[in-house]
Amino acid sequence: MSDRIWNPIEHAPVEEIQALQLSRLIHNVYHVYEHVPYYRQRMDEAGVKPKDIKTLKDLAKLPFTYKQDLRDTYPYGLFAVPMEDVVELHASSGTTGKQIVAGYTQKDLDIWGDCAARAIVAAGGGPRSKVHVSYGYGLFTGGMGLHYGAQTLGAVAIPVSSGNTKRQVQILQDFESDILCCTPSYATYIGETLRDMGIRPDEIKLSAGIFGAEPWTEDSRRNIESLLGIKAYDIYGLTEIIGPGVAYECSQQTGMHICEDHFLPEIIDPDTGEVLPEGTPGELVFTCITKEAFPLLRYRTRDIATLSREKCGCGRTLIKMSKPRGRTDDMLIIRGVNVFPSQIETVLFQTNQTSPHYLITVDRVGSTDTLDIMVEMTPDFQFDAVRLVEEKQKEIETALQSTLGISPKVQLVSPKTIQRSEGKAKRVIDKRKLY
């Protein structure tokens, strides 16, 4: 059965979508070349002019944009409109360098609202929905993105932001919120708080949740759905492109539909930059084809994913991206082995009596890397039985060694030992001095 659709482009014939893409791509390449000196210089160095872009395949002629380019031009060097046309600014956290600053014209905000509205509708929302937004508000794009989406849809936006979780629960009850928007780790925390307060999932009105901003697994999805009594949907976005709403899940949950009428996706080999065929995993790259203020060309996201145009049961024809399988820049290399935190999470979810809370610590002793994983157990685990603790630690270590190819040290801890996050969960501490 087909889902309800917010924007007709979501189920337009592929040929119509691609014709629109080409028209918008050509227009925005001219826009960028004429108004962003940095891009004009990069394109001139690559020997490409706007007139050389005649087909969608010509996109590969354009130079890539890297996060370092955004830092080098901080704060406004890649803006393509004068500041008097910019009505809103957002920024990344800047934890690994200068923060990334993104500007929006009113048209850009309208696009953002439309894309986020598509995600809410795909999750079963509509004009009568009450959308409880527990993403952070402020420079972070999470809160405002879903807020604009709800307003665009004509739904009620409830701008709760994160924090004060018991108050969040009271608002969920009293305001009768039916869609929850936050990070998956915070959704888990809200669900655990409900349980600890003795409130059953059927005592609140939630029917769906839209969760993103951090990696999460299918086991995380099932855990959240059980805790909150909802259907959990993934959403994808990044500050550099627009924020949440670049891609979103439908009822089929076999990937996230990309709003490709605004954001042109590619998958490339992260080492060579070669464009890879559909279905091949690689680094996800986006080109903004409608944004006015901050229209990036071939931005390398560092997210590893695949693209698919297989027919979707929801009726949408927009291309789908897989859930990101990791990142090229936060992948851990431990004793010469590539390790993604998502691999560790998958093993932990398959282990009885573990909770979804864990902390990975990587260090170096002498010339040898160490991998320590702190894992919270469920309340029913018998910590007073030393033999059971040792057996469970060994069980988890063996399962992780089989998956990762290296041996970790596992420490089991009691519930609520690991600090909770009300935003993005901090899963990894790397203490090595790798420079």
Side-chain angles (χ1 to χ4, degrees), residues 239-274:
T239 300
E240 299 93 319
I241 302 303
I242 204 167
V246 173
Y248 56 92
E249 274 190 327
C250 63
S251 61
Q252 304 299 299
Q253 298 186 320
T254 53
M256 289 176 278
H257 292 280
I258 296 173
C259 295
E260 56 174 331
D261 51 320
H262 298 295
F263 315 110
L264 196 54
E266 302 171 274
I267 294 290
I268 65 166
D269 183 312
D271 297 321
T272 67
E274 175 190 3

PDB file of all heavy atoms in Angstrom, residues 239-274:
ATOM      1  N   THR A 239      24.609  19.796   8.318  1.00  0.00           N
ATOM      2  CA  THR A 239      24.606  21.254   8.298  1.00  0.00           C
ATOM      3  C   THR A 239      25.061  21.793   6.954  1.00  0.00           C
ATOM      4  O   THR A 239      24.485  22.750   6.425  1.00  0.00           O
ATOM      5  CB  THR A 239      25.528  21.795   9.411  1.00  0.00           C
ATOM      6  OG1 THR A 239      25.060  21.331  10.670  1.00  0.00           O
ATOM      7  CG2 THR A 239      25.567  23.320   9.406  1.00  0.00           C
ATOM      8  N   GLU A 240      26.096  21.186   6.393  1.00  0.00           N
ATOM      9  CA  GLU A 240      26.694  21.718   5.170  1.00  0.00           C
ATOM     10  C   GLU A 240      25.726  21.705   3.984  1.00  0.00           C
ATOM     11  O   GLU A 240      25.836  22.532   3.085  1.00  0.00           O
ATOM     12  CB  GLU A 240      27.941  20.900   4.800  1.00  0.00           C
ATOM     13  CG  GLU A 240      29.033  20.943   5.859  1.00  0.00           C
ATOM     14  CD  GLU A 240      28.942  19.802   6.853  1.00  0.00           C
ATOM     15  OE1 GLU A 240      27.811  19.458   7.270  1.00  0.00           O
ATOM     16  OE2 GLU A 240      29.992  19.243   7.229  1.00  0.00           O
ATOM     17  N   ILE A 241      24.798  20.761   3.969  1.00  0.00           N
ATOM     18  CA  ILE A 241      23.875  20.654   2.838  1.00  0.00           C
ATOM     19  C   ILE A 241      22.577  21.414   3.115  1.00  0.00           C
ATOM     20  O   ILE A 241      22.157  22.240   2.334  1.00  0.00           O
ATOM     21  CB  ILE A 241      23.593  19.178   2.505  1.00  0.00           C
ATOM     22  CG1 ILE A 241      24.904  18.456   2.177  1.00  0.00           C
ATOM     23  CG2 ILE A 241      22.625  19.049   1.335  1.00  0.00           C
ATOM     24  CD1 ILE A 241      25.703  19.088   1.040  1.00  0.00           C
ATOM     25  N   ILE A 242      21.904  21.144   4.218  1.00  0.00           N
ATOM     26  CA  ILE A 242      20.755  21.962   4.631  1.00  0.00           C
ATOM     27  C   ILE A 242      20.361  21.688   6.070  1.00  0.00           C
ATOM     28  O   ILE A 242      19.864  22.555   6.769  1.00  0.00           O
ATOM     29  CB  ILE A 242      19.526  21.757   3.693  1.00  0.00           C
ATOM     30  CG1 ILE A 242      18.601  22.992   3.756  1.00  0.00           C
ATOM     31  CG2 ILE A 242      18.773  20.483   4.019  1.00  0.00           C
ATOM     32  CD1 ILE A 242      17.556  23.041   2.673  1.00  0.00           C
ATOM     33  N   GLY A 243      20.564  20.457   6.543  1.00  0.00           N
ATOM     34  CA  GLY A 243      20.098  20.028   7.856  1.00  0.00           C
ATOM     35  C   GLY A 243      19.233  18.795   7.690  1.00  0.00           C
ATOM     36  O   GLY A 243      19.176  18.196   6.609  1.00  0.00           O
ATOM     37  N   PRO A 244      18.516  18.363   8.720  1.00  0.00           N
ATOM     38  CA  PRO A 244      17.678  17.161   8.604  1.00  0.00           C
ATOM     39  C   PRO A 244      16.604  17.333   7.544  1.00  0.00           C
ATOM     40  O   PRO A 244      15.950  18.367   7.475  1.00  0.00           O
ATOM     41  CB  PRO A 244      17.071  17.017  10.005  1.00  0.00           C
ATOM     42  CG  PRO A 244      17.153  18.386  10.606  1.00  0.00           C
ATOM     43  CD  PRO A 244      18.402  18.993  10.047  1.00  0.00           C
ATOM     44  N   GLY A 245      16.445  16.310   6.704  1.00  0.00           N
ATOM     45  CA  GLY A 245      15.484  16.379   5.616  1.00  0.00           C
ATOM     46  C   GLY A 245      16.124  16.161   4.261  1.00  0.00           C
ATOM     47  O   GLY A 245      15.427  16.096   3.251  1.00  0.00           O
ATOM     48  N   VAL A 246      17.441  16.008   4.219  1.00  0.00           N
ATOM     49  CA  VAL A 246      18.102  15.680   2.949  1.00  0.00           C
ATOM     50  C   VAL A 246      17.578  14.338   2.447  1.00  0.00           C
ATOM     51  O   VAL A 246      17.343  14.148   1.251  1.00  0.00           O
ATOM     52  CB  VAL A 246      19.634  15.636   3.125  1.00  0.00           C
ATOM     53  CG1 VAL A 246      20.314  15.129   1.858  1.00  0.00           C
ATOM     54  CG2 VAL A 246      20.165  17.026   3.474  1.00  0.00           C
ATOM     55  N   ALA A 247      17.369  13.398   3.366  1.00  0.00           N
ATOM     56  CA  ALA A 247      16.803  12.087   3.032  1.00  0.00           C
ATOM     57  C   ALA A 247      16.000  11.583   4.229  1.00  0.00           C
ATOM     58  O   ALA A 247      16.267  11.971   5.368  1.00  0.00           O
ATOM     59  CB  ALA A 247      17.907  11.101   2.661  1.00  0.00           C
ATOM     60  N   TYR A 248      15.038  10.698   3.961  1.00  0.00           N
ATOM     61  CA  TYR A 248      14.135  10.249   5.018  1.00  0.00           C
ATOM     62  C   TYR A 248      13.580   8.877   4.674  1.00  0.00           C
ATOM     63  O   TYR A 248      13.477   8.494   3.512  1.00  0.00           O
ATOM     64  CB  TYR A 248      12.971  11.241   5.185  1.00  0.00           C
ATOM     65  CG  TYR A 248      12.214  11.462   3.886  1.00  0.00           C
ATOM     66  CD1 TYR A 248      11.096  10.683   3.581  1.00  0.00           C
ATOM     67  CD2 TYR A 248      12.640  12.394   2.955  1.00  0.00           C
ATOM     68  CE1 TYR A 248      10.425  10.844   2.382  1.00  0.00           C
ATOM     69  CE2 TYR A 248      11.988  12.568   1.738  1.00  0.00           C
ATOM     70  CZ  TYR A 248      10.881  11.784   1.457  1.00  0.00           C
ATOM     71  OH  TYR A 248      10.231  11.929   0.248  1.00  0.00           O
ATOM     72  N   GLU A 249      13.205   8.129   5.707  1.00  0.00           N
ATOM     73  CA  GLU A 249      12.611   6.814   5.508  1.00  0.00           C
ATOM     74  C   GLU A 249      11.114   6.906   5.243  1.00  0.00           C
ATOM     75  O   GLU A 249      10.426   7.775   5.781  1.00  0.00           O
ATOM     76  CB  GLU A 249      12.823   5.940   6.753  1.00  0.00           C
ATOM     77  CG  GLU A 249      14.150   5.207   6.767  1.00  0.00           C
ATOM     78  CD  GLU A 249      14.228   4.184   7.883  1.00  0.00           C
ATOM     79  OE1 GLU A 249      13.636   4.406   8.960  1.00  0.00           O
ATOM     80  OE2 GLU A 249      14.891   3.160   7.681  1.00  0.00           O
ATOM     81  N   CYS A 250      10.627   5.941   4.455  1.00  0.00           N
ATOM     82  CA  CYS A 250       9.194   5.755   4.269  1.00  0.00           C
ATOM     83  C   CYS A 250       8.765   4.526   5.082  1.00  0.00           C
ATOM     84  O   CYS A 250       9.557   3.961   5.833  1.00  0.00           O
ATOM     85  CB  CYS A 250       8.883   5.556   2.787  1.00  0.00           C
ATOM     86  SG  CYS A 250       9.655   4.054   2.103  1.00  0.00           S
ATOM     87  N   SER A 251       7.543   4.077   4.893  1.00  0.00           N
ATOM     88  CA  SER A 251       7.022   2.950   5.667  1.00  0.00           C
ATOM     89  C   SER A 251       7.747   1.647   5.367  1.00  0.00           C
ATOM     90  O   SER A 251       7.755   0.728   6.190  1.00  0.00           O
ATOM     91  CB  SER A 251       5.527   2.774   5.394  1.00  0.00           C
ATOM     92  OG  SER A 251       5.325   2.490   4.009  1.00  0.00           O
ATOM     93  N   GLN A 252       8.369   1.550   4.188  1.00  0.00           N
ATOM     94  CA  GLN A 252       9.068   0.319   3.819  1.00  0.00           C
ATOM     95  C   GLN A 252      10.361   0.133   4.602  1.00  0.00           C
ATOM     96  O   GLN A 252      10.829  -0.980   4.805  1.00  0.00           O
ATOM     97  CB  GLN A 252       9.380   0.325   2.318  1.00  0.00           C
ATOM     98  CG  GLN A 252       8.161   0.502   1.435  1.00  0.00           C
ATOM     99  CD  GLN A 252       7.156  -0.619   1.611  1.00  0.00           C
ATOM    100  OE1 GLN A 252       7.460  -1.782   1.362  1.00  0.00           O
ATOM    101  NE2 GLN A 252       5.950  -0.263   2.041  1.00  0.00           N
ATOM    102  N   GLN A 253      10.981   1.238   5.002  1.00  0.00           N
ATOM    103  CA  GLN A 253      12.207   1.234   5.799  1.00  0.00           C
ATOM    104  C   GLN A 253      13.300   0.351   5.190  1.00  0.00           C
ATOM    105  O   GLN A 253      13.957  -0.425   5.861  1.00  0.00           O
ATOM    106  CB  GLN A 253      11.902   0.826   7.240  1.00  0.00           C
ATOM    107  CG  GLN A 253      10.960   1.819   7.920  1.00  0.00           C
ATOM    108  CD  GLN A 253      10.729   1.568   9.388  1.00  0.00           C
ATOM    109  OE1 GLN A 253      10.606   0.427   9.809  1.00  0.00           O
ATOM    110  NE2 GLN A 253      10.672   2.636  10.171  1.00  0.00           N
ATOM    111  N   THR A 254      13.488   0.532   3.882  1.00  0.00           N
ATOM    112  CA  THR A 254      14.546  -0.182   3.159  1.00  0.00           C
ATOM    113  C   THR A 254      15.571   0.809   2.608  1.00  0.00           C
ATOM    114  O   THR A 254      16.215   0.547   1.592  1.00  0.00           O
ATOM    115  CB  THR A 254      13.953  -1.009   2.005  1.00  0.00           C
ATOM    116  OG1 THR A 254      13.139  -0.156   1.173  1.00  0.00           O
ATOM    117  CG2 THR A 254      13.109  -2.146   2.531  1.00  0.00           C
ATOM    118  N   GLY A 255      15.719   1.913   3.273  1.00  0.00           N
ATOM    119  CA  GLY A 255      16.595   2.980   2.819  1.00  0.00           C
ATOM    120  C   GLY A 255      15.878   4.306   2.957  1.00  0.00           C
ATOM    121  O   GLY A 255      14.672   4.356   3.229  1.00  0.00           O
ATOM    122  N   MET A 256      16.615   5.397   2.776  1.00  0.00           N
ATOM    123  CA  MET A 256      16.045   6.740   2.912  1.00  0.00           C
ATOM    124  C   MET A 256      15.957   7.421   1.552  1.00  0.00           C
ATOM    125  O   MET A 256      16.946   7.482   0.811  1.00  0.00           O
ATOM    126  CB  MET A 256      16.916   7.571   3.865  1.00  0.00           C
ATOM    127  CG  MET A 256      16.808   7.139   5.302  1.00  0.00           C
ATOM    128  SD  MET A 256      17.935   8.040   6.402  1.00  0.00           S
ATOM    129  CE  MET A 256      19.457   7.136   6.135  1.00  0.00           C
ATOM    130  N   HIS A 257      14.773   7.904   1.224  1.00  0.00           N
ATOM    131  CA  HIS A 257      14.570   8.619  -0.038  1.00  0.00           C
ATOM    132  C   HIS A 257      15.274   9.981   0.032  1.00  0.00           C
ATOM    133  O   HIS A 257      15.057  10.757   0.965  1.00  0.00           O
ATOM    134  CB  HIS A 257      13.085   8.824  -0.309  1.00  0.00           C
ATOM    135  CG  HIS A 257      12.340   7.559  -0.605  1.00  0.00           C
ATOM    136  ND1 HIS A 257      12.363   6.957  -1.847  1.00  0.00           N
ATOM    137  CD2 HIS A 257      11.564   6.760   0.182  1.00  0.00           C
ATOM    138  CE1 HIS A 257      11.623   5.861  -1.815  1.00  0.00           C
ATOM    139  NE2 HIS A 257      11.125   5.719  -0.589  1.00  0.00           N
ATOM    140  N   ILE A 258      16.098  10.253  -0.954  1.00  0.00           N
ATOM    141  CA  ILE A 258      16.813  11.529  -1.021  1.00  0.00           C
ATOM    142  C   ILE A 258      15.945  12.552  -1.754  1.00  0.00           C
ATOM    143  O   ILE A 258      15.336  12.244  -2.778  1.00  0.00           O
ATOM    144  CB  ILE A 258      18.159  11.367  -1.760  1.00  0.00           C
ATOM    145  CG1 ILE A 258      19.075  10.422  -0.975  1.00  0.00           C
ATOM    146  CG2 ILE A 258      18.843  12.718  -1.977  1.00  0.00           C
ATOM    147  CD1 ILE A 258      20.364  10.062  -1.706  1.00  0.00           C
ATOM    148  N   CYS A 259      15.886  13.750  -1.237  1.00  0.00           N
ATOM    149  CA  CYS A 259      15.175  14.838  -1.930  1.00  0.00           C
ATOM    150  C   CYS A 259      16.041  15.291  -3.098  1.00  0.00           C
ATOM    151  O   CYS A 259      16.640  16.370  -3.083  1.00  0.00           O
ATOM    152  CB  CYS A 259      14.890  15.985  -0.968  1.00  0.00           C
ATOM    153  SG  CYS A 259      13.747  15.562   0.370  1.00  0.00           S
ATOM    154  N   GLU A 260      16.096  14.429  -4.108  1.00  0.00           N
ATOM    155  CA  GLU A 260      17.061  14.644  -5.191  1.00  0.00           C
ATOM    156  C   GLU A 260      16.629  15.733  -6.166  1.00  0.00           C
ATOM    157  O   GLU A 260      17.376  16.057  -7.094  1.00  0.00           O
ATOM    158  CB  GLU A 260      17.343  13.333  -5.938  1.00  0.00           C
ATOM    159  CG  GLU A 260      16.121  12.655  -6.500  1.00  0.00           C
ATOM    160  CD  GLU A 260      16.488  11.439  -7.343  1.00  0.00           C
ATOM    161  OE1 GLU A 260      17.579  11.413  -7.932  1.00  0.00           O
ATOM    162  OE2 GLU A 260      15.657  10.510  -7.426  1.00  0.00           O
ATOM    163  N   ASP A 261      15.465  16.303  -5.973  1.00  0.00           N
ATOM    164  CA  ASP A 261      15.112  17.490  -6.745  1.00  0.00           C
ATOM    165  C   ASP A 261      15.838  18.717  -6.190  1.00  0.00           C
ATOM    166  O   ASP A 261      15.852  19.768  -6.824  1.00  0.00           O
ATOM    167  CB  ASP A 261      13.599  17.722  -6.738  1.00  0.00           C
ATOM    168  CG  ASP A 261      12.991  17.697  -5.343  1.00  0.00           C
ATOM    169  OD1 ASP A 261      13.405  16.845  -4.529  1.00  0.00           O
ATOM    170  OD2 ASP A 261      12.096  18.527  -5.069  1.00  0.00           O
ATOM    171  N   HIS A 262      16.470  18.566  -5.017  1.00  0.00           N
ATOM    172  CA  HIS A 262      17.255  19.656  -4.426  1.00  0.00           C
ATOM    173  C   HIS A 262      18.720  19.291  -4.204  1.00  0.00           C
ATOM    174  O   HIS A 262      19.580  20.169  -4.226  1.00  0.00           O
ATOM    175  CB  HIS A 262      16.649  20.066  -3.084  1.00  0.00           C
ATOM    176  CG  HIS A 262      15.257  20.603  -3.175  1.00  0.00           C
ATOM    177  ND1 HIS A 262      14.949  21.779  -3.839  1.00  0.00           N
ATOM    178  CD2 HIS A 262      14.075  20.117  -2.697  1.00  0.00           C
ATOM    179  CE1 HIS A 262      13.645  22.003  -3.751  1.00  0.00           C
ATOM    180  NE2 HIS A 262      13.089  21.006  -3.071  1.00  0.00           N
ATOM    181  N   PHE A 263      18.988  17.986  -3.984  1.00  0.00           N
ATOM    182  CA  PHE A 263      20.341  17.558  -3.629  1.00  0.00           C
ATOM    183  C   PHE A 263      20.730  16.380  -4.519  1.00  0.00           C
ATOM    184  O   PHE A 263      20.146  15.297  -4.412  1.00  0.00           O
ATOM    185  CB  PHE A 263      20.401  17.155  -2.151  1.00  0.00           C
ATOM    186  CG  PHE A 263      19.704  18.141  -1.252  1.00  0.00           C
ATOM    187  CD1 PHE A 263      18.511  17.812  -0.628  1.00  0.00           C
ATOM    188  CD2 PHE A 263      20.219  19.408  -1.062  1.00  0.00           C
ATOM    189  CE1 PHE A 263      17.850  18.715   0.177  1.00  0.00           C
ATOM    190  CE2 PHE A 263      19.565  20.330  -0.258  1.00  0.00           C
ATOM    191  CZ  PHE A 263      18.371  19.985   0.365  1.00  0.00           C
ATOM    192  N   LEU A 264      21.694  16.592  -5.375  1.00  0.00           N
ATOM    193  CA  LEU A 264      22.102  15.592  -6.354  1.00  0.00           C
ATOM    194  C   LEU A 264      23.157  14.681  -5.738  1.00  0.00           C
ATOM    195  O   LEU A 264      24.246  15.136  -5.388  1.00  0.00           O
ATOM    196  CB  LEU A 264      22.661  16.308  -7.586  1.00  0.00           C
ATOM    197  CG  LEU A 264      22.807  15.524  -8.884  1.00  0.00           C
ATOM    198  CD1 LEU A 264      21.497  14.872  -9.279  1.00  0.00           C
ATOM    199  CD2 LEU A 264      23.285  16.461  -9.992  1.00  0.00           C
ATOM    200  N   PRO A 265      22.850  13.372  -5.568  1.00  0.00           N
ATOM    201  CA  PRO A 265      23.791  12.480  -4.886  1.00  0.00           C
ATOM    202  C   PRO A 265      24.700  11.719  -5.846  1.00  0.00           C
ATOM    203  O   PRO A 265      24.324  11.424  -6.987  1.00  0.00           O
ATOM    204  CB  PRO A 265      22.854  11.508  -4.170  1.00  0.00           C
ATOM    205  CG  PRO A 265      21.688  11.376  -5.112  1.00  0.00           C
ATOM    206  CD  PRO A 265      21.547  12.717  -5.795  1.00  0.00           C
ATOM    207  N   GLU A 266      25.873  11.395  -5.351  1.00  0.00           N
ATOM    208  CA  GLU A 266      26.799  10.495  -6.036  1.00  0.00           C
ATOM    209  C   GLU A 266      27.414   9.577  -4.989  1.00  0.00           C
ATOM    210  O   GLU A 266      27.478   9.918  -3.807  1.00  0.00           O
ATOM    211  CB  GLU A 266      27.947  11.250  -6.707  1.00  0.00           C
ATOM    212  CG  GLU A 266      27.575  12.291  -7.737  1.00  0.00           C
ATOM    213  CD  GLU A 266      28.792  13.095  -8.159  1.00  0.00           C
ATOM    214  OE1 GLU A 266      29.108  14.089  -7.478  1.00  0.00           O
ATOM    215  OE2 GLU A 266      29.450  12.705  -9.151  1.00  0.00           O
ATOM    216  N   ILE A 267      27.905   8.439  -5.431  1.00  0.00           N
ATOM    217  CA  ILE A 267      28.730   7.564  -4.601  1.00  0.00           C
ATOM    218  C   ILE A 267      30.088   7.443  -5.286  1.00  0.00           C
ATOM    219  O   ILE A 267      30.159   7.124  -6.482  1.00  0.00           O
ATOM    220  CB  ILE A 267      28.106   6.166  -4.436  1.00  0.00           C
ATOM    221  CG1 ILE A 267      26.808   6.257  -3.653  1.00  0.00           C
ATOM    222  CG2 ILE A 267      29.088   5.215  -3.752  1.00  0.00           C
ATOM    223  CD1 ILE A 267      26.973   6.602  -2.184  1.00  0.00           C
ATOM    224  N   ILE A 268      31.155   7.732  -4.541  1.00  0.00           N
ATOM    225  CA  ILE A 268      32.488   7.701  -5.126  1.00  0.00           C
ATOM    226  C   ILE A 268      33.400   6.757  -4.346  1.00  0.00           C
ATOM    227  O   ILE A 268      33.133   6.425  -3.187  1.00  0.00           O
ATOM    228  CB  ILE A 268      33.132   9.102  -5.163  1.00  0.00           C
ATOM    229  CG1 ILE A 268      33.377   9.621  -3.734  1.00  0.00           C
ATOM    230  CG2 ILE A 268      32.287  10.084  -5.967  1.00  0.00           C
ATOM    231  CD1 ILE A 268      34.305  10.813  -3.656  1.00  0.00           C
ATOM    232  N   ASP A 269      34.469   6.334  -5.006  1.00  0.00           N
ATOM    233  CA  ASP A 269      35.540   5.626  -4.318  1.00  0.00           C
ATOM    234  C   ASP A 269      36.267   6.656  -3.462  1.00  0.00           C
ATOM    235  O   ASP A 269      36.783   7.647  -3.999  1.00  0.00           O
ATOM    236  CB  ASP A 269      36.500   5.003  -5.339  1.00  0.00           C
ATOM    237  CG  ASP A 269      37.608   4.192  -4.693  1.00  0.00           C
ATOM    238  OD1 ASP A 269      38.252   4.697  -3.740  1.00  0.00           O
ATOM    239  OD2 ASP A 269      37.877   3.074  -5.162  1.00  0.00           O
ATOM    240  N   PRO A 270      36.304   6.491  -2.131  1.00  0.00           N
ATOM    241  CA  PRO A 270      36.905   7.529  -1.283  1.00  0.00           C
ATOM    242  C   PRO A 270      38.400   7.732  -1.518  1.00  0.00           C
ATOM    243  O   PRO A 270      38.932   8.782  -1.176  1.00  0.00           O
ATOM    244  CB  PRO A 270      36.637   7.024   0.145  1.00  0.00           C
ATOM    245  CG  PRO A 270      36.388   5.569   0.006  1.00  0.00           C
ATOM    246  CD  PRO A 270      35.771   5.365  -1.341  1.00  0.00           C
ATOM    247  N   ASP A 271      39.060   6.752  -2.112  1.00  0.00           N
ATOM    248  CA  ASP A 271      40.500   6.870  -2.355  1.00  0.00           C
ATOM    249  C   ASP A 271      40.815   7.513  -3.703  1.00  0.00           C
ATOM    250  O   ASP A 271      41.711   8.347  -3.816  1.00  0.00           O
ATOM    251  CB  ASP A 271      41.165   5.494  -2.273  1.00  0.00           C
ATOM    252  CG  ASP A 271      41.048   4.874  -0.889  1.00  0.00           C
ATOM    253  OD1 ASP A 271      41.179   5.627   0.104  1.00  0.00           O
ATOM    254  OD2 ASP A 271      40.809   3.660  -0.797  1.00  0.00           O
ATOM    255  N   THR A 272      40.038   7.131  -4.738  1.00  0.00           N
ATOM    256  CA  THR A 272      40.343   7.620  -6.087  1.00  0.00           C
ATOM    257  C   THR A 272      39.438   8.755  -6.547  1.00  0.00           C
ATOM    258  O   THR A 272      39.778   9.480  -7.479  1.00  0.00           O
ATOM    259  CB  THR A 272      40.226   6.468  -7.106  1.00  0.00           C
ATOM    260  OG1 THR A 272      38.844   6.060  -7.204  1.00  0.00           O
ATOM    261  CG2 THR A 272      41.088   5.276  -6.686  1.00  0.00           C
ATOM    262  N   GLY A 273      38.260   8.910  -5.920  1.00  0.00           N
ATOM    263  CA  GLY A 273      37.305   9.917  -6.359  1.00  0.00           C
ATOM    264  C   GLY A 273      36.465   9.477  -7.540  1.00  0.00           C
ATOM    265  O   GLY A 273      35.617  10.223  -8.017  1.00  0.00           O
ATOM    266  N   GLU A 274      36.662   8.243  -8.002  1.00  0.00           N
ATOM    267  CA  GLU A 274      35.905   7.728  -9.141  1.00  0.00           C
ATOM    268  C   GLU A 274      34.442   7.524  -8.765  1.00  0.00           C
ATOM    269  O   GLU A 274      34.131   7.012  -7.693  1.00  0.00           O
ATOM    270  CB  GLU A 274      36.511   6.401  -9.593  1.00  0.00           C
ATOM    271  CG  GLU A 274      35.732   5.698 -10.696  1.00  0.00           C
ATOM    272  CD  GLU A 274      36.214   4.278 -10.947  1.00  0.00           C
ATOM    273  OE1 GLU A 274      37.126   3.820 -10.219  1.00  0.00           O
ATOM    274  OE2 GLU A 274      35.661   3.621 -11.846  1.00  0.00           O
TER     275      GLU A 274
END
